[in-house]
Amino acid sequence: RSDITFNLRTFLKLLFTEITAMKKTFLCSILLFQLFIQYLGVVATSKNFGNSSGKSSEFKESVDPGFDLFFASNDREVENVPIYFKNPLPPWIKGTLIRNGLGRYEIGQRRFTHAFDAFAKLLSWKFPGNGTAFFSTKFIQSDFYKKSIEMHDIAPYLLFETVEPEFNVFQRFEALLRGIDNMNVNVYKFGENDVAVLNDFWKVYTIDPISLKTRTSITPSIHVPKSPSAFTFLNFISSAHPLPEMGTPHHLSYLSSVNIIPGMKSRISLVRIKSSEEREIITSWEVDRVPYMHSFAATKNYVVFFACPYFINVKKMVRYAIPERSLDWEQESPTILYVVHIKSGKVVTMMTDNVFMMHQINAFERDGVIIVDISAYPNPDFVKNLEMKNLLDPIKRNQFNTRASVRRYTITLNTQTVVWKTFRDTETAPCASALDLPTINEFYRYRPYCFAYGVALKCNNVSLSDIAIVKKDLCGRGRDKMWKIANHYAVEAWFIPEPGGGKYEDDGYLVLPVLNGEAKSSYLAFIDARSMEMVNSAEIPMIVPFNLHGRFFDDLL
């Protein structure tokens, strides 16, 4: 852009510092320098997408009352503000619900073009167990966020998509070097007072779960098995959804090691998480290309990776420095399953029909087979469609398909066969089989179970804002149910079971923040998981924007 001046000496200094900090080999340094030369030869042009003032008032007023507030910035931070429920809370509701999500969509004259890139903001609700409750919310003080506040502009870091006005050529390269630093997806507890916020990357930030203050960033050191091309690996892609390793205090995740040399093998590693800093590789295997995997499934003895044909294109990443433009979907290619035996590390590779998934629901072993339930999509188009220009347009947001389908896979290792079925909707809950952002009673993790709960967007198959919290009976006994109120916009719920997991699987509450579009306010809802009726609620002292994932910690207060 003509109104941006760039000090080449400063940029070269940054380039040298970043390459040194990366501690890569001479070959990697040469590759980065070649990339820099390539960018110098590109004419940086500014794409005018309209007025870039960053003010939400310039967008069209939604026909769905208050829905635009779901994707509007809320800069306020508070700590331990009392909230008051309409009815007494059960005394066994004791602990802290922490959620991670989207808090700010613009700074200065620049805004994010995709909802997934909004600055991370934490929310928490503390329940001391004496009938009181307290609300807190704070931004994650990442380097990305702090630098952006300092500049009064969105700082050049790697994003899922891009910004408006776009970064210039030098800023894009600077973003590529810095990588992703915005941990706005999930929150996990890996040990005593070891709570981390996550994205789909190897780096994490740790937080104080009581005050929500950010502690430090951690990029865990790990040894990837040697191979002829190991020195050209970039170890940075992981999962925002670790899973507990049954019978241990540890968690399971994965690491994708992307080879930056065309034609050379990349690697996927199954990883044991002992703490935010301490991780070890259980087993590792080579792949031709690295698939994007937001989550994976696990049982007592196995981990199952769905390698959908949505592949990372290194050349495009180098060219655009935009991950969303660097993912290739192959509609005609099969989905590869990597089934890993946790104890031995043996990997069995199988294939199934083309499918895309973001979230697994649950998995378990029964009669010598592995059962895996997922929220399935025909392709990843809906991810691209969650751009701000679509979400804030009352016509465009209703034109794309966001409906998932609950699908069950039966994997037989002896015969290396995979079969699947899709669950059907019922009259009592016509969109219960379209759930995503799933949750279950965690006492039934890795066990045979009946109920999955989740969010069904576009429940009426007309309006994106027609959002339901649904209960799907996977045992086929006709117990599908749903909860929704017109112009009330719900997000992912967390299942808090009755003490001991409850007498029945659905004994407990679904707890979630809801935006009341008509009143332009937010509240925390308690939904009885058996009847799917809201039985309690408390007003939140501010509007809560869309948030992604979270969990209830019964040992944190």
Side-chain angles (χ1 to χ4, degrees):
R1 293 172 53 218
S2 59
D3 60 333
I4 295 179
T5 59
F6 186 83
N7 188 317
L8 183 58
R9 182 179 299 174
T10 301
F11 180 79
L12 288 172
K13 182 178 179 181
L14 170 66
L15 177 64
F16 177 79
T17 301
E18 293 290 344
I19 290 176
T20 303
M22 289 170 69
K23 297 182 180 179
K24 298 293 180 184
T25 64
F26 178 71
L27 177 59
C28 188
S29 301
I30 290 295
L31 182 67
L32 287 170
F33 186 73
Q34 287 175 340
L35 175 61
F36 171 61
I37 297 300
Q38 172 189 339
Y39 271 126
L40 286 180
V42 176
V43 178
T45 58
S46 174
K47 295 183 179 179
N48 183 11
F49 293 98
N51 194 318
S52 58
S53 65
K55 298 179 181 178
S56 59
S57 61
E58 296 177 11
F59 293 102
K60 293 180 180 179
E61 185 67 23
S62 173
V63 296
D64 309 311
F67 187 77
D68 287 359
L69 297 174
F70 228 11
F71 301 97
S73 297
N74 185 336
D75 300 343
R76 287 182 60 197
E77 297 182 304
V78 299
E79 185 172 346
N80 288 334
V81 174
I83 59 173
Y84 303 96
F85 283 86
K86 293 180 180 179
N87 301 307
L89 291 168
W92 53 267
I93 299 288
K94 186 176 182 180
T96 301
L97 172 67
I98 304 179
R99 294 192 57 79
N100 196 352
L102 316 175
R104 188 166 181 173
Y105 296 86
E106 70 285 313
I107 289 184
Q109 298 300 306
R110 209 183 298 269
R111 67 181 67 172
F112 298 110
T113 61
H114 198 285
F116 286 177
D117 286 322
F119 287 109
K121 194 177 188 184
L122 294 170
L123 308 139
S124 77
W125 292 265
K126 298 186 185 73
F127 301 94
N130 58 5
T132 62
F134 301 89
F135 170 71
S136 301
T137 180
K138 290 181 182 177
F139 283 96
I140 295 173
Q141 298 294 312
S142 63
D143 294 338
F144 174 42
Y145 181 72
K146 291 188 293 185
K147 184 67 173 177
S148 298
I149 293 296
E150 177 187 335
M151 295 170 55
H152 193 58
D153 190 7
I154 295 176
Y157 280 77
L158 200 62
L159 307 171
F160 176 70
E161 199 177 78
T162 186
V163 290
E164 183 185 70
E166 285 194 341
F167 292 139
N168 64 33
V169 63
F170 300 108
Q171 290 169 320
R172 291 201 301 271
F173 188 69
E174 188 177 355
L176 189 63
L177 289 176
R178 285 175 166 170
I180 285 184
D181 191 59
N182 191 22
M183 306 300 140
N184 62 0
V185 177
N186 214 341
V187 55
Y188 267 81
K189 184 173 181 286
F190 294 129
E192 186 67 28
N193 206 29
D194 181 9
V195 178
V197 289
L198 316 174
N199 203 325
D200 287 329
F201 296 90
W202 191 240
K203 181 179 182 178
V204 302
Y205 275 86
T206 57
I207 64 165
D208 181 333
I210 306 304
S211 67
L212 298 186
K213 290 182 179 179
T214 305
R215 285 175 169 163
T216 187
S217 66
I218 297 174
T219 303
S221 60
I222 197 161
H223 174 70
V224 177
K226 292 185 178 297
S227 73
S229 58
F231 61 92
T232 58
F233 283 159
L234 294 180
N235 301 313
F236 68 102
I237 300 174
S238 190
S239 174
H241 293 275
L243 288 170
E245 182 180 8
M246 193 170 182
T248 79
H250 309 314
H251 286 75
L252 300 168
S253 189
Y254 78 91
L255 172 65
S256 286
S257 303
V258 181
N259 203 314
I260 61 176
I261 303 299
M264 302 294 281
K265 298 281 189 179
S266 296
R267 296 188 78 88
I268 298 175
S269 302
L270 174 62
V271 175
R272 176 176 290 114
I273 301 176
K274 295 185 174 181
S275 71
S276 292
E277 294 189 78
E278 186 181 0
R279 306 185 181 195
E280 64 183 22
I281 289 180
I282 298 173
T283 191
S284 179
W285 62 98
E286 290 188 335
V287 294
D288 292 326
R289 292 179 293 173
V290 171
Y292 169 72
M293 299 185 293
H294 180 65
S295 70
F296 58 94
T299 67
K300 177 181 179 181
N301 297 298
Y302 295 94
V303 170
V304 181
F305 294 98
F306 280 70
C308 305
Y310 198 32
F311 297 111
I312 297 168
N313 187 317
V314 176
K315 290 182 179 179
K316 288 183 179 179
M317 182 67 77
V318 168
R319 180 179 179 183
Y320 300 117
I322 298 173
E324 186 276 328
R325 296 183 192 173
S326 308
L327 291 166
D328 294 337
W329 173 250
E330 298 181 358
Q331 187 67 52
E332 303 304 319
S333 297
T335 291
I336 299 173
L337 301 187
Y338 298 111
V339 183
V340 186
H341 187 256
I342 299 172
K343 186 174 182 179
S344 68
K346 180 182 178 181
V347 181
V348 176
T349 302
M350 307 169 73
M351 289 189 182
T352 188
D353 296 330
N354 180 284
V355 70
F356 178 72
M357 66 162 279
M358 290 287 284
H359 300 107
Q360 66 87 32
I361 301 171
N362 194 17
F364 57 92
E365 300 166 39
R366 183 174 62 192
D367 301 328
V369 301
I370 301 171
I371 308 294
V372 181
D373 295 331
I374 70 170
S375 294
Y377 294 88
N379 55 58
D381 288 354
F382 80 96
V383 177
K384 168 68 175 176
N385 286 326
L386 297 178
E387 291 180 322
M388 299 299 291
K389 66 182 180 182
N390 295 331
L391 293 171
L392 295 171
D393 187 309
I395 297 176
K396 288 182 179 179
R397 67 172 173 247
N398 296 330
Q399 293 176 338
F400 61 87
N401 182 23
T402 59
R403 287 173 70 95
S405 59
V406 176
R407 185 178 290 190
R408 170 162 289 183
Y409 286 80
T410 301
I411 303 168
T412 306
L413 290 176
N414 289 340
T415 59
Q416 294 198 15
T417 57
V418 183
V419 296
W420 58 269
K421 69 174 183 177
T422 298
F423 290 89
R424 297 181 179 274
D425 288 326
T426 59
E427 292 183 1
T428 56
C431 59
S433 297
L435 72 86
D436 201 347
L437 302 173
T439 188
I440 64 170
N441 182 339
E442 288 293 326
F443 276 84
Y444 288 78
R445 176 68 62 191
Y446 307 154
R447 295 169 55 191
Y449 73 120
C450 285
F451 298 119
Y453 308 86
V455 179
L457 298 172
K458 210 173 185 177
C459 182
N460 61 5
N461 221 10
V462 176
S463 301
L464 178 69
S465 61
D466 191 64
I467 303 173
I469 299 297
V470 299
K471 174 184 183 178
K472 183 63 187 174
D473 180 4
L474 303 175
C475 294
R477 300 172 187 167
R479 294 171 291 180
D480 289 4
K481 288 184 173 64
M482 57 187 285
W483 174 87
K484 73 170 182 172
I485 301 175
N487 303 320
H488 286 223
Y489 313 122
V491 297
E492 175 199 70
W494 184 260
F495 186 101
I496 303 179
E498 291 186 2
K503 182 178 179 181
Y504 300 103
E505 183 184 341
D506 54 357
D507 284 342
Y509 297 104
L510 297 171
V511 185
L512 69 153
V514 180
L515 172 60
N516 180 341
E518 294 180 349
K520 293 180 171 53
S521 63
S522 295
Y523 60 92
L524 189 70
F526 273 64
I527 298 173
D528 185 306
R530 178 170 294 184
S531 67
M532 291 301 287
E533 295 178 354
M534 185 167 65
V535 295
N536 213 346
S537 65
E539 291 295 318
I540 301 170
M542 63 176 63
I543 292 172
V544 174
F546 187 82
N547 44 99
L548 294 167
H549 299 293
R551 56 205 311 111
F552 183 78
F553 302 95
D554 58 12
D555 57 349
L556 290 179
L557 272 175

